[in-house]
Amino acid sequence: MKKYAAHVVGVKKSQPEIEPRLPIKLDSTSNGEFEPYPLTPQIEFVKTLAMRRAEENARRLGLSRRQFLMSAAGTATTLLCMNQVLARNGNAGGYFDVHPAMELDLDAAASRFAKDEFIFDVQTHHVNPANPSSTFVNNAFFTQRNCGEPNPVDCFNVHHYIKEIFMDSDTDIAVLSQVPANPGQDPLSTAEAAATRELVQMMYNSPRLQIHGIVVPNYQPRQAQLDNMQRLVEQYQIKAWKCYTHFGANTAPWYLDDPVVGIPFIQKARELGVKIICIHKGLSGNSPFGTCRDVGVVAKMFPDVTFIIYHSGFEIGSREGPYNRNSTRGIDTLIRSLQDNEIPPSSNVYAEIGTTWRQVMGNPTVAAHVIGKLLKYVGQDRVLWGTDSIWYGSPQDQINAFRAFQISTEFQERFGYPALTPELKAKIFGLNATVPYGINPPEAKKQIARDEIQRRRVEYQNDPQPSFATYGPRTRREFLNFLRTHGSMPG
């Protein structure tokens, strides 16, 4: 029993178990901007099979079921069940590289999922429940049942954010992003994001948390939005801008190349010297303004500006396959926009995979096309790690699934996708993002190793308590309840 102790601390065998959950969160949770999709029969069977195997393996190792699920062997067991069930149904364009022996060999499993990368998550979120202006505060939609807070909205506060992102995952640096809202109705304002950054830094001047400035350039009067950009730079030292082209505010949605809305916004960003623009594209309910038609246009017009495409144009319900330039939805619109405007791979456009990876990791064939296409056409140095957490709880399951994921040899040969080597995964996990954000990885590692979050993380690992919970809507009823109350909540 001693050989297992290092991997399963945190729950005593005599303690009553809470509701068991798999360490890879296979559920229908949405981030609030799309209706949750029912799980496929194959994924439902994976969940049943994985829980049954977890009970059997735990018994053989003399552990409680929760102890086993908290171990790396629990993660390996879940991914092995995914391989088994999905491959049996012909879903074999990708797979998870885990060995059956890892179900019972905790040392081997722990080694497989050991942290070896610099992880820079460029899309994370939380809200300020105390903000009386927030459209989130009285939202009965988020009836989170598992975080233990009397007020469900508190499940999305800064303390849960720090726990889920920095305690229960291997994330080193995160970008705290914002969601669109009319001015004064922000679930998290730039001032509140800056306060979270200060709390995380705790006077250590650590780069652990970066923040955006939210801009709604189509909001009337538009000049006031442009004037406010200078205040955000001077007062809060933001690192990038966040905008949503399909969000109408008090006027119409817009395109990046709109001469009245988009172009003046980009020019103002250049003038202020903050030349990273993070644009939500995809997850738009099929809005034409959510496609990537305009991305290549402005990338060509402004080669000195970095455009980070959140979600990479991915749309729920649009099955991603090999690149098809005639497609009018999804990631193909990003690729075509770059090609039509002669933007080669590894230029000034980055593709971010927050929610995108979370949605496709349960479908290895689609996942292989999504990751493979982005690496091939946008560039191996231009795909960025993002998770859209804490809507999905801790991002650790997304991290572990990607660590193990491989594109099949058949797909590499047929479609020209690259092999997912450790070096390439390290780029996606964080090294690519350090370039636009101007972060030196060796120096950043030294700084975060000395900060307060790291000290607390080390202490927390003596008795970790991951919840394996998700925070967003899981049913159509919850989603529609939210829409009736406040409208969609893009991430």
Side-chain angles (χ1 to χ4, degrees):
M1 184 66 187
K2 289 182 180 179
K3 66 177 289 190
Y4 308 132
H7 309 298
V8 293
V9 294
V11 176
K12 295 180 174 60
K13 188 71 186 319
S14 59
Q15 287 181 327
E17 291 193 39
I18 63 172
E19 175 193 355
R21 302 188 187 98
L22 294 173
I24 302 295
K25 301 191 285 283
L26 300 173
D27 60 29
S28 58
T29 299
S30 163
N31 67 351
E33 56 195 346
F34 59 89
E35 182 178 323
Y37 268 57
L39 297 181
T40 65
Q42 290 79 21
I43 292 298
E44 291 284 10
F45 183 56
V46 168
K47 293 177 65 176
T48 299
L49 179 63
M51 192 61 74
R52 184 167 70 234
R53 291 249 284 265
E55 292 176 353
E56 294 169 354
N57 293 339
R59 199 159 42 241
R60 293 175 68 179
L61 294 174
L63 304 174
S64 73
R65 180 172 51 182
R66 177 163 168 78
Q67 283 178 314
F68 180 80
L69 291 171
M70 287 174 59
S71 75
T75 297
T77 295
T78 307
L79 295 176
L80 282 163
C81 290
M82 292 174 70
N83 281 344
Q84 177 183 334
V85 174
L86 297 171
R88 183 187 300 159
N89 286 273
N91 193 338
Y95 63 95
F96 298 100
D97 186 15
V98 285
H99 193 277
M102 294 176 185
E103 286 197 68
L104 296 174
D105 188 335
L106 296 184
D107 290 318
S111 178
R112 180 66 185 84
F113 297 105
K115 185 181 185 324
D116 190 39
E117 318 88 355
F118 181 73
I119 298 181
F120 187 168
D121 189 334
V122 301
Q123 187 180 183
T124 66
H125 301 276
H126 80 75
V127 304
N128 177 16
N131 182 350
S133 301
S134 173
T135 59
F136 229 86
V137 171
N138 295 312
N139 182 7
F141 156 66
F142 277 109
T143 54
Q144 166 61 309
R145 294 176 291 274
N146 303 306
C147 82
E149 297 286 358
N151 179 1
V153 183
D154 285 333
C155 299
F156 301 86
N157 68 23
V158 62
H159 302 293
H160 283 279
Y161 173 83
I162 290 174
K163 179 182 184 296
E164 299 286 9
I165 303 297
F166 295 121
M167 300 293 122
D168 285 326
S169 92
D170 291 333
T171 303
D172 294 301
I173 295 180
V175 173
L176 179 56
S177 193
Q178 295 154 277
V179 302
N182 292 339
Q185 296 179 332
D186 314 73
L188 185 77
S189 69
T190 301
E192 291 159 350
T196 297
R197 180 182 59 192
E198 297 305 310
L199 178 63
V200 169
Q201 288 180 344
M202 293 183 180
M203 301 181 66
Y204 283 84
N205 199 31
S206 165
R208 192 178 289 276
L209 193 65
Q210 311 287 310
I211 66 171
H212 283 163
I214 188 74
V215 184
V216 189
N218 54 330
Y219 190 83
Q220 301 282 10
R222 284 190 286 269
Q223 188 58 46
Q225 282 288 298
L226 298 181
D227 293 342
N228 189 53
M229 290 171 67
Q230 182 163 350
R231 183 183 69 86
L232 295 179
V233 172
E234 294 175 350
Q235 190 167 350
Y236 301 114
Q237 298 79 52
I238 63 167
K239 289 297 184 72
W241 309 102
K242 179 74 176 295
C243 60
Y244 295 76
T245 56
H246 68 287
F247 178 66
N250 64 345
T251 183
W254 55 289
Y255 287 114
L256 290 165
D257 59 346
D258 185 307
V260 177
V261 179
I263 298 303
F265 160 59
I266 298 171
Q267 289 173 331
K268 187 67 174 181
R270 294 175 73 232
E271 175 190 323
L272 294 171
V274 178
K275 296 191 287 185
I276 303 174
I277 297 179
C278 300
I279 313 129
H280 177 110
K281 288 290 188 178
L283 302 185
S284 64
N286 299 321
S287 166
F289 297 93
T291 71
C292 299
R293 176 207 62 78
D294 48 346
V295 172
V297 179
V298 294
K300 187 173 185 177
M301 291 176 65
F302 302 100
D304 61 330
V305 175
T306 294
F307 296 94
I308 297 177
I309 313 306
Y310 269 31
H311 314 298
S312 302
F314 177 78
E315 291 285 2
I316 298 295
S318 178
R319 184 177 175 86
E320 294 284 347
Y323 171 55
N324 175 7
R325 68 171 283 106
N326 295 319
S327 176
T328 59
R329 300 183 75 232
I331 290 171
D332 290 348
T333 68
L334 172 59
I335 297 170
R336 178 173 178 174
S337 182
L338 299 181
Q339 292 184 339
D340 286 351
N341 292 279
E342 301 178 324
I343 306 296
S346 298
S347 294
N348 60 327
V349 175
Y350 288 74
E352 186 269 350
I353 58 174
T355 285
T356 302
W357 169 247
R358 205 309 175 137
Q359 287 300 308
V360 303
M361 70 185 194
N363 189 326
T365 294
V366 172
H369 283 305
V370 165
I371 301 300
K373 286 191 297 188
L374 292 175
L375 292 169
K376 180 179 179 179
Y377 296 105
V378 183
Q380 296 186 20
D381 298 323
R382 295 296 183 267
V383 178
L384 303 184
W385 182 249
T387 65
D388 225 351
S389 293
I390 63 171
W391 312 137
Y392 302 115
S394 169
Q396 188 62 29
D397 64 323
Q398 297 186 52
I399 292 170
N400 284 336
F402 192 72
R403 278 176 174 152
F405 185 69
Q406 293 294 333
I407 298 174
S408 69
T409 301
E410 177 192 353
F411 270 34
Q412 292 177 45
E413 294 173 351
R414 283 179 59 191
F415 304 111
Y417 301 154
L420 294 180
T421 63
E423 293 76 19
L424 182 49
K425 287 183 179 179
K427 286 184 176 183
I428 297 169
F429 267 132
L431 298 182
N432 287 347
T434 64
V435 177
Y437 279 92
I439 289 174
N440 179 285
E443 182 59 31
K445 288 180 181 178
K446 292 179 183 177
Q447 290 176 301
I448 64 178
R450 297 192 297 260
D451 71 11
E452 179 66 13
I453 292 292
Q454 185 63 23
R455 185 193 69 78
R456 294 187 180 191
R457 174 187 267 177
V458 171
E459 182 179 286
Y460 175 75
Q461 290 309 310
N462 292 323
D463 188 19
Q465 296 294 330
S467 68
F468 302 140
T470 51
Y471 291 78
R474 282 161 278 186
T475 66
R476 185 172 189 270
R477 181 177 180 180
E478 289 181 353
F479 180 71
L480 293 178
N481 185 33
F482 174 71
L483 292 184
R484 284 193 296 269
T485 308
H486 295 300
S488 63
M489 181 200 69

